[in-house]
């Protein structure tokens, strides 16, 4: 059809005898039987990708289109292409800005959960260092003071990056501190943390 020809070739089409035009299969053309004159122009991006087409057609042979008409339509298509590209570029900039803001929020959340300094333990020098490969990771570690002068050292790696990983880490941080504070048995505390975590992840996927 005319549309298929324009999209595949990325070139304009002008035909003033559509029914007799050997370039098109009249059995397949959506315009055969009623249209006599047609011009169709592709709307192209800078990389020659087809965004769409502009088509004008006439049913009467006396209203045939000329090469001048085709030039005007091609100019219109070029203006449309620039407008569409500008809109797409704007959408991409907005998306990138939102992604950047999300990363900044996730970065603050994640680093706010990590300990600022190691615990002071008599007879030991404790050091820690954390450097994520990307701006925001799913890594997590925590020192939790337990009854009897004990200290729990928690290390975890949350799957994923960005805001979603930071939110999961925040939930995990609260659950760990709560369970270790109320449950004296470490195995029972870990089991309770696992159960709560699995329940939370299950609800997030409903």
């Amino acid at each position: 059809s005319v549309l298929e020809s324009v999209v595949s070739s990325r070139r304009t089409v002008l035909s003033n005898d559509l029914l007799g035009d050997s370039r098109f299969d009249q059995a397949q053309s959506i315009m055969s039987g009623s249209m006599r004159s047609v011009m169709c122009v592709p709307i192209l991006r800078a990389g020659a990708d087809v965004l769409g087409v502009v088509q004008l057609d006439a049913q009467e042979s006396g209203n045939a289109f000329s090469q001048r008409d085709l030039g005007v339509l091609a100019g219109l298509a070029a203006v449309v292409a620039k407008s569409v590209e500008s809109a797409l570029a704007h959408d991409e900039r907005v998306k990138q800005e939102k992604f950047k803001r999300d990363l900044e929020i996730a970065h603050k959340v994640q680093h706010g959960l990590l300990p600022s300094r190691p615990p002071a333990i008599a007879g030991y020098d404790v050091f820690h260092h954390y450097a994520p490969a990307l701006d925001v990771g799913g890594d997590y570690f925590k020192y939790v003071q337990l009854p009897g002068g004990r200290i729990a050292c928690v290390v975890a790696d949350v799957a994923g990056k960005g805001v979603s990983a930071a939110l999961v880490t925040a939930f995990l941080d609260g659950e760990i501190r709560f369970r270790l504070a109320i449950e004296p048995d470490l195995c029972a505390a870990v089991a309770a943390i696992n159960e709560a975590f699995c329940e939370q992840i299950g609800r997030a996927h409903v």
Side-chain angles (χ1 to χ4, degrees), residues 2 5-13 40-42 44:
V2 174
S5 174
V6 171
V7 171
S8 62
S9 68
R10 297 176 173 82
R11 302 181 64 178
T12 61
V13 165
C40 192
V41 177
L44 301 175

Side-chain angles (χ1 to χ4, degrees), residues 3 5 8 25 28 42 57 59 73 77 80-81 83 111 134 152 161 173 177 184 189 198:
L3 292 176
S5 174
S8 62
D25 182 357
Q28 299 298 325
D57 46 55
Q59 295 183 359
L73 189 61
V80 172
S83 299
H111 283 263
L134 301 176
K161 307 293 181 184
D173 178 77
R177 289 188 294 171
C198 290

Side-chain angles (χ1 to χ4, degrees), residues 125-179:
D125 292 327
V126 182
F127 298 91
H128 67 242
H129 175 72
Y130 173 63
L134 301 176
D135 291 336
V136 179
D139 307 304
Y140 169 83
F141 67 97
K142 196 79 171 182
Y143 307 108
V144 182
Q145 189 71 43
L146 300 177
R150 298 178 301 159
I151 294 178
C153 179
V154 183
V155 179
D157 185 6
V158 177
K161 307 293 181 184
V163 175
S164 59
L167 292 176
V168 172
T169 304
F171 170 80
L172 182 62
D173 178 77
E175 195 66 28
I176 286 173
R177 289 188 294 171
F178 171 70
R179 295 296 177 179

Side-chain angles (χ1 to χ4, degrees), residues 63-203:
N63 293 327
F65 296 114
S66 65
Q67 286 293 333
R68 182 179 179 182
D69 296 328
L70 184 63
V72 173
L73 189 61
L76 174 62
V79 173
V80 172
K82 289 183 178 180
S83 299
V84 173
E85 284 196 307
S86 296
L88 292 175
H90 173 73
D91 289 346
E92 185 62 28
R93 287 194 298 271
V94 171
K95 186 185 301 183
Q96 290 296 328
E97 286 297 322
K98 182 179 182 300
F99 179 71
K100 183 179 179 180
R101 290 195 301 269
D102 287 347
L103 281 183
E104 291 174 352
I105 294 172
H107 178 83
K108 292 179 180 179
V109 170
Q110 183 199 26
H111 283 263
L113 296 174
L114 301 179
S116 58
R117 57 181 180 272
I121 303 176
Y124 293 90
D125 292 327
V126 182
F127 298 91
H128 67 242
H129 175 72
Y130 173 63
L134 301 176
D135 291 336
V136 179
D139 307 304
Y140 169 83
F141 67 97
K142 196 79 171 182
Y143 307 108
V144 182
Q145 189 71 43
L146 300 177
R150 298 178 301 159
I151 294 178
C153 179
V154 183
V155 179
D157 185 6
V158 177
K161 307 293 181 184
V163 175
S164 59
L167 292 176
V168 172
T169 304
F171 170 80
L172 182 62
D173 178 77
E175 195 66 28
I176 286 173
R177 289 188 294 171
F178 171 70
R179 295 296 177 179
L180 291 180
I182 65 171
E183 179 55 67
D185 182 78
L186 184 59
C187 291
V190 171
I193 292 169
N194 184 68
E195 182 179 353
F197 191 73
C198 290
E199 181 181 352
Q200 177 67 21
I201 295 299
R203 285 203 301 266

